[in-house]
Amino acid sequence: MVRLSGISAPRHSSIVKLAEREGVRRPFEILVEMDADSRARIAAHLGVPIEHLERDPAREAWAILHRDLLGMQARGHVAYERLLPVRNITWREMLQRTAEWLGLPTDGSVEELERRIYEAFADRIVDTWRPEELSLCDAMASTYPWVLRLRERLELSRNGVRFAVMTLPMRAWVETLGICSAVAHSEAVRGFFPRLRVRLQAALDRMVHLAPALAPAVRGVAAVATFFSLLLVPNHARNAPVVVTLVLQSFQRTAGEPTAAWWHSL
């Protein structure tokens, strides 16, 4: 959180070493392997500016992970970690905090945590599908050989497979960022303070509508509130959809690699 400041971002070789040292090598590599448009979409979701980074995959990935107040590491920090930035959280810690926010167990390996978070989102999303969508997805699952690879290597649940099938074939997995954001938002507004914030925002909007002259003052108050929110309040609702998107990207790589049985059949 303390070193990246935009234009002075380090180049590829040094960024890889930093990612390794910070414990975020895994998500860094996934982001680097994404196409530029997908990284831009994730950056926009987090509010991280990357336009000045010349579409350099490593620098963009590092900004998404490490940008002050806005990157994934910063959004996973609790208040004292933001006020006293002694160190940044690792990918494992980010997963554990996301899992805890979702009410999931926080033990196990990184891969288990990734799958647990992914499955939680898959269950919530698949539950909203129509019967014909489920039937189509199950039919597709019995057709594509890469689905067998997912089942063999990742041991996904039925809904986990359905979600992967619906998002992977035409590289549509990044489209799930918006869907996952909606799920995360619905999870976030269950708490007292998030509900209070929503109601306060609605009240301010009504105030501006009734008295337009108050608009500059209201915008100033909103800006200050946003700053303190970034500084003091963890943003798991922002991080969780990106975590799921990155996990889907890693699933895509896993599904694309032939099995040993396939190699032996040649």
Side-chain angles (χ1 to χ4, degrees), residues 117-139:
I117 294 168
Y118 167 82
E119 295 276 13
F121 271 80
D123 285 339
R124 288 167 170 81
I125 293 168
V126 172
D127 282 346
T128 67
W129 290 357
R130 298 186 301 273
E132 55 270 26
E133 291 178 295
L134 292 174
S135 299
L136 174 62
C137 200
D138 290 340

Side-chain angles (χ1 to χ4, degrees), residues 21-159:
R21 189 174 67 196
E22 295 258 336
V24 290
R25 178 75 177 264
R26 179 171 172 80
F28 172 77
E29 291 179 343
I30 295 173
L31 284 163
V32 167
E33 292 184 5
M34 281 183 172
D35 61 280
D37 290 341
S38 299
R39 276 194 306 275
R41 185 164 183 169
I42 289 172
H45 167 79
L46 293 170
V48 175
I50 61 172
E51 297 78 10
H52 59 284
L53 298 179
E54 303 170 349
R55 295 178 76 88
D56 182 314
R59 297 176 76 201
E60 290 181 350
W62 187 240
I64 288 169
L65 288 167
H66 199 66
R67 174 73 187 215
D68 292 351
L69 295 179
L70 301 173
M72 295 184 72
Q73 287 179 300
R75 287 186 179 276
H77 285 167
V78 295
Y80 78 87
E81 291 170 325
R82 296 184 182 200
L83 295 171
L84 300 171
V86 177
R87 72 173 188 89
N88 296 303
I89 61 173
T90 64
W91 177 239
R92 178 182 178 81
E93 290 172 315
M94 194 185 307
L95 293 171
Q96 288 176 319
R97 294 181 185 192
T98 303
E100 184 178 10
W101 176 70
L102 291 167
L104 304 171
T106 60
D107 60 330
S109 66
V110 166
E111 290 76 13
E112 290 170 335
L113 286 164
E114 289 177 346
R115 188 167 62 246
R116 197 174 294 152
I117 294 168
Y118 167 82
E119 295 276 13
F121 271 80
D123 285 339
R124 288 167 170 81
I125 293 168
V126 172
D127 282 346
T128 67
W129 290 357
R130 298 186 301 273
E132 55 270 26
E133 291 178 295
L134 292 174
S135 299
L136 174 62
C137 200
D138 290 340
M140 291 167 65
S142 63
T143 303
Y144 294 115
W146 54 262
V147 179
L148 299 177
R149 296 198 282 271
L150 279 179
R151 287 173 173 165
E152 289 174 10
R153 297 168 178 173
L154 300 173
E155 300 179 356
L156 296 179
S157 69
R158 188 174 187 184
N159 282 345

